[in-house]
Amino acid sequence: MSPAHPTLYSPLDLGPVTIANRFAVPAMVTRLSGDDGHVTDQIVERYRRFAEGGAGMIVVEASSIHGGRSGPLLKASDDEFIGGLSRIPAAVHAAGPAKVFLQIIHFLKVARSGWRQTIADLRIDELEALPGLFAAAARRAEQAGFDGVEVHMAHAYTLSSMLSRMNRRNDRYGRSLENRMRLPTMAFTEVRQAVSDRFAVGLRFDAEECIRHGYSVGESSEFAVRFAELGAAYVSLSAGGKFEDAQHREGKPLYPYTGYSGDRCMPGDTYPDAANLWMADHVRGELRRRGHTTPVLGAGKIGTADLAERVLADGRCDIVGMARALLADPYLPAKVAAGRGAEVVRCIYCNVCKSLDENFKTVVCYLWPRGSTQAPTPDEQAAADIAWATDATPTVVLEPGAIRLRWPRPNGPVAGYDILRSEDDGPFERRLACTREAQLDDLVVAGRQYRYRIVPYDAAGRRGTPSEIVDASI
Ligand SMILES: Cc1cc2nc3c(=O)[nH]c(=O)nc-3n(C[C@H](O)[C@H](O)[C@H](O)COP(=O)(O)O)c2cc1C
């Protein structure tokens, strides 16, 4: 496929299922279902585009295994949902090579007052009913034509709360590591037994909780080994996203991604690339040291094929989860494979998608054309000519400790800008991105010489010519 990315475009077995490449769309709630939890045309189209874009693995958004109220969230809690759910694998399989998994979730109640139900409130019989609910949802997913399920044990939800070091239950489901793993182990085992051998069962949990007194990679490596022993098709590692440090906003249900652990879960623009990969690296190392070959999916600001290839080639993970990057441009895998990587619309990690999710609004990308509910396809727009006027050199305004750049809007259908920066005559690298004609660079220090140029692009990712170069120092 792409000569520069041999590992990224190589196949991999996830138990009984083979994925054609290592690009994965991790689960991302779309808020495109109605409150009734049924699949809609827009949901089918969202996943069809991911498949057409060339990802090897698609994990469909968290889908509830029980009837609890949740706002717009898919449901797999009853046989009545099988027909609707079956539209997703049908569309995905027809559009590309992707294998498609359904993420299945159990969550507890949250109220607008800030109150939330916790695992401490659940009776033993309520807890012990959960593995059966997960198993029934997995069976429905297989009937609907999915290639596998992903049992959701990450973030703030019920199974994650069982694994958590904050699980202070005084019975056989709390406190000790073995007790905390007991219910998730039961759930995984019942799911595995409920489906056929041709159906893959993977799971996702936090490699680190990212809260005070939470667990880190020492314990999550033990989770990984346990699920490897039980035959997990893959282990997907996330981080944080907990209720414990969430900020309550007046009149809104608590959203578990509003504190520091939420930042770690969906690291924004100030975080480094591959911000959480050290965790996957550690857990994978422990698995391999103990003789398990279970594939590990790492995620968290891995936004380009070059970076994905590097982390795979270095053996830090086996599958690269790109959630926001593939939301921004689902066609990234196909564009790179076709040698058109320069046309990728690159995520700016602004987290507008996250705040839409928080507010139960349709999750879209800030970089898409205004009003769209789907990413543009590469051929949706006629080839766009973007041309700078002759006197269009960007200007620089010095602010205390920062450099503000401004530039005139070029002619043509501009969707956004990459801002390239060179430091002390080094190469130009993409430093920032934005959708308006101004941007502040505050990662600057005195005594260095910076040079900038602006590269505009259209909604399908086609780049215009770079602007003239402008020099600046503080
Ligand atoms: C809008 C949105 C919705 C998400 N929904 C889910 C979800 O349903 N289940 C899940 O495990 N993770 C969910 N995540 C987390 C992502 O799967 C992913 O782990 C995270 O965004 C970090 O990866 P990235 O840097 O590639 O975006 C969501 C993330 C976003 C931005």
Side-chain angles (χ1 to χ4, degrees):
M1 280 292 235
S2 163
H5 308 99
T7 322
L8 184 55
Y9 287 90
S10 65
L12 181 71
D13 290 341
L14 310 183
V17 164
T18 304
I19 55 171
N21 62 51
R22 313 300 182 88
F23 286 101
V25 182
M28 249 182 304
V29 162
T30 59
R31 303 290 184 202
L32 282 166
S33 77
D35 283 347
D36 61 2
H38 280 287
V39 170
T40 59
D41 292 350
Q42 288 285 4
I43 291 184
V44 176
E45 183 57 17
R46 174 80 49 107
Y47 292 102
R48 198 194 64 75
R49 290 191 193 203
F50 284 130
E52 191 173 66
M57 173 180 188
I58 297 172
V59 185
V60 168
E61 60 199 273
S63 303
S64 157
I65 62 163
H66 61 304
R69 280 188 47 197
S70 58
L73 195 76
L74 282 185
K75 286 195 170 78
S77 53
D78 190 282
D79 287 355
E80 70 166 291
F81 295 105
I82 297 173
L85 285 169
S86 71
R87 296 179 59 202
I88 301 176
V92 165
H93 291 147
K99 295 292 193 278
V100 58
F101 291 69
L102 184 68
Q103 188 180 59
I104 48 177
I105 184 173
H106 186 273
F107 50 85
L108 298 174
K109 294 175 191 151
V110 285
R112 289 180 185 275
S113 63
W115 172 86
R116 69 183 172 95
Q117 190 184 23
T118 71
I119 53 163
D121 302 327
L122 295 183
R123 296 188 314 270
I124 283 223
D125 62 306
E126 289 173 316
L127 275 187
E128 291 180 346
L130 298 187
L133 294 179
F134 275 103
R139 189 181 34 75
R140 290 181 196 113
E142 184 167 25
Q143 283 175 339
F146 283 87
D147 299 293
V149 281
E150 178 173 286
V151 184
H152 197 347
M153 305 188 184
H155 312 155
Y157 311 109
T158 314
L159 291 182
S160 179
S161 303
M162 299 306 295
L163 290 174
S164 173
R165 271 186 89 85
M166 304 301 279
N167 170 358
R168 310 309 292 160
R169 284 184 71 99
N170 280 319
D171 54 20
R172 63 182 181 280
Y173 293 106
R175 294 183 182 259
S176 73
L177 176 64
E178 186 56 46
N179 280 355
R180 287 188 277 128
M181 288 197 294
R182 193 178 311 282
L183 192 77
T185 298
M186 288 160 59
F188 183 87
T189 308
E190 274 205 42
V191 166
R192 192 54 278 172
Q193 283 165 357
V195 294
S196 78
D197 293 344
R198 296 180 307 282
F199 191 72
V201 182
L203 73 155
R204 189 173 216 206
F205 54 84
D206 279 351
E208 179 172 282
E209 293 188 271
C210 305
I211 49 172
R212 281 194 81 201
H213 309 304
Y215 68 71
S216 186
V217 291
E219 291 193 359
S220 60
S221 296
E222 293 299 337
F223 307 159
V225 169
R226 162 64 54 88
F227 292 111
E229 286 165 353
L230 293 171
Y234 68 90
V235 165
S236 171
L237 297 174
S238 189
K242 308 299 288 185
F243 277 127
E244 280 76 3
D245 66 348
Q247 319 279 317
H248 181 233
R249 293 172 191 175
E250 201 51 41
K252 284 194 174 179
L254 204 56
Y255 180 72
Y257 306 95
T258 41
Y260 173 72
S261 73
D263 288 351
R264 297 296 319 194
C265 185
M266 301 165 199
D269 53 3
T270 56
Y271 281 85
D273 284 343
N276 294 331
L277 206 65
W278 67 271
M279 303 175 197
D281 195 11
H282 183 102
V283 173
R284 185 178 182 275
E286 278 303 297
L287 278 171
R288 299 296 176 265
R289 198 174 64 76
R290 288 150 81 170
H292 296 288
T293 54
T294 314
V296 172
L297 185 153
K301 271 196 93 172
I302 308 174
T304 65
D306 288 349
L307 178 59
E309 177 64 26
R310 213 177 321 140
V311 302
L312 290 167
D314 290 349
R316 302 180 72 196
C317 62
D318 305 285
I319 313 162
V320 175
M322 286 187 183
R324 290 165 295 173
L326 292 178
L327 182 71
D329 191 344
Y331 295 90
L332 184 158
K335 285 180 180 176
V336 172
R340 291 166 53 197
E343 295 175 21
V344 171
V345 177
R346 289 181 58 181
C347 178
I348 58 176
Y349 296 102
C350 63
N351 270 337
V352 166
C353 52
K354 173 184 170 181
S355 64
L356 291 166
D357 173 38
E358 174 178 0
N359 292 299
F360 302 109
K361 296 208 173 110
T362 301
V363 171
V364 296
C365 175
Y366 179 63
L367 301 177
W368 296 351
R370 294 287 164 271
S372 322
T373 45
Q374 305 289 353
T377 60
D379 52 6
E380 234 167 34
Q381 315 255 328
D385 280 334
I386 300 175
W388 295 94
T390 41
D391 55 349
T393 309
T395 55
V396 161
V397 182
L398 295 182
E399 299 196 359
I403 294 170
R404 185 175 294 283
L405 298 158
R406 287 187 206 285
W407 56 92
R409 191 178 170 82
N411 299 318
V414 177
Y417 302 93
D418 285 334
I419 294 157
L420 312 187
R421 184 177 92 173
S422 140
E423 186 178 321
D424 291 339
D425 289 329
F428 277 93
E429 283 169 9
R430 182 180 186 257
R431 156 84 193 103
L432 294 160
C434 59
T435 58
R436 302 220 173 80
E437 288 73 33
Q439 180 67 18
L440 188 76
D441 185 2
D442 60 4
L443 195 75
V444 290
V445 289
R448 305 261 157 79
Q449 188 62 39
Y450 299 102
R451 294 190 303 152
Y452 297 91
R453 55 194 330 185
I454 316 294
V455 181
Y457 58 84
D458 70 12
R462 282 175 293 250
R463 264 58 185 177
T465 48
S467 70
E468 297 295 325
I469 293 171
V470 62
D471 291 305
S473 58
I474 57 162

